[in-house]
Amino acid sequence: VTVPRRETLVVVATPQYLRELLPSAAYEGPFPLDGSRQGEVFITLPAASAPSEELEQWLVANAGPEAIDLTAIHEAVPGHHLQLTRAKGHRSRLRRTFWDVFFGEGWAHYIEGMMDETGFFSPRGRLWMLFERYFQLIRARVAIGLHAEGWSLERAERYLIWKLSLPAKEAARAAVRWALLYPIESLSYALGRLVLLRI
């Protein structure tokens, strides 16, 4: 597949009003019905007033070469940016307009696996990719527990702390986010990837 010639990608700091929703990085594609082919990758930077320990944790989690590679693959090319700029040329207005979370996140996880199969990742990069996959599965387990098994938010927080070693504050925020805002997003990564592999 070729990258459309008129596409552009801008990397920006996550605006303040989105910082609670976007803990690390996210992609915003071009508007579906205009001629734009510009996408944006939001990177959530630590607060300028954050203590040095928090800054160090952020750098380890987000600024190493493995994390940068994986974020670029997932959010930009050949991930979401390539997918959504290509969708702009689809003949169906419906396909150009609507984002399907299973296909979108499934594509990003599928393409990470393809990059791994080609030998792109170093051994540490491959481990980083596998941890990210594990992270999404833990998120999915929390969503199922909260929505189908009667888990409390406190139980979800404890599970996230136990399985992912998240700090308590981050685990509390994550449990609410996945419980109230995006309960099927976590499932979409694995299920969408499996459908693409089956195809």
Side-chain angles (χ1 to χ4, degrees), residues 76-153:
V77 175
H80 293 318
H81 185 61
L82 175 63
Q83 179 190 34
L84 290 174
T85 52
R86 293 286 297 181
K88 294 278 293 196
H90 199 280
R91 66 181 174 273
S92 164
R93 186 174 181 151
L94 191 64
R95 294 285 295 273
R96 288 194 311 268
T97 304
F98 293 102
W99 161 262
D100 178 283
V101 69
F102 284 88
F103 182 57
E105 296 302 352
W107 170 259
H109 255 206
Y110 167 78
I111 210 66
E112 291 169 6
M114 292 294 293
M115 295 297 285
D116 181 44
E117 289 175 20
T118 65
F120 176 82
F121 293 119
S122 68
R124 284 181 57 140
R126 182 169 196 276
L127 186 60
W128 200 266
M129 181 206 68
L130 292 172
F131 177 78
E132 176 64 24
R133 203 169 277 175
Y134 173 74
F135 182 84
Q136 297 302 342
L137 292 171
I138 295 301
R139 284 177 49 176
R141 178 66 186 100
V142 168
I144 290 167
L146 286 163
H147 290 277
E149 298 175 342
W151 284 21
S152 66
L153 283 174

Side-chain angles (χ1 to χ4, degrees), residues 178-190:
W178 300 325
L180 302 176
L181 299 176
Y182 306 108
I184 64 166
E185 180 192 25
S186 302
L187 293 167
S188 70
Y189 291 83

Side-chain angles (χ1 to χ4, degrees), residues 10 14 16 22 32-33 38 40 48-49 84 86 110 126 130 132 140-141 148 153 155 157 166 173 177 182 184 188:
V10 180
T14 302
Q16 189 63 38
L22 306 176
L33 299 179
Q38 177 173 309
E40 295 179 319
S49 60
L84 290 174
R86 293 286 297 181
Y110 167 78
R126 182 169 196 276
L130 292 172
E132 176 64 24
R141 178 66 186 100
L153 283 174
R155 181 174 177 185
E157 292 166 22
L166 292 179
R173 183 173 59 221
R177 178 177 184 253
Y182 306 108
I184 64 166
S188 70

